[in-house]
Amino acid sequence: MNLAAGFVWQIRKGGTVEITHDGRRAASLRGDRAKAFLDDMDALDHQGQQDEMARLTGNYKRGNERLAKHHPRNR
């Protein structure tokens, strides 16, 4: 289990992995996806773990926020 701020993961009954973000459930992984997730967590550092959980939950920036802010229709 990762106790740092942001994303936290926890293994539940039956091998289900629950990922939370700021105390709210963001994703639940079961079966092969849960096993692959746990293998990835063992191989990654803290920032890598946070990035992987953000990717899995869809909670990450897509890179176009700065460009969209400066677009003429958004001024």
Side-chain angles (χ1 to χ4, degrees), residues 21-66:
H21 185 256
D22 293 334
R24 294 183 177 196
R25 186 172 51 192
S28 292
L29 306 174
R30 294 174 188 87
D32 292 337
R33 289 185 70 195
K35 290 176 187 173
F37 172 80
L38 293 173
D39 290 342
D40 290 344
M41 291 298 109
D42 288 338
L44 296 171
D45 63 348
H46 171 70
Q47 188 59 47
Q49 290 177 347
Q50 292 292 306
D51 292 343
E52 180 67 13
M53 287 185 277
R55 186 185 68 77
L56 285 171
T57 61
N59 187 4
Y60 58 95
K61 292 187 177 182
R62 289 149 184 89
N64 62 353
E65 288 82 4
R66 186 176 302 164

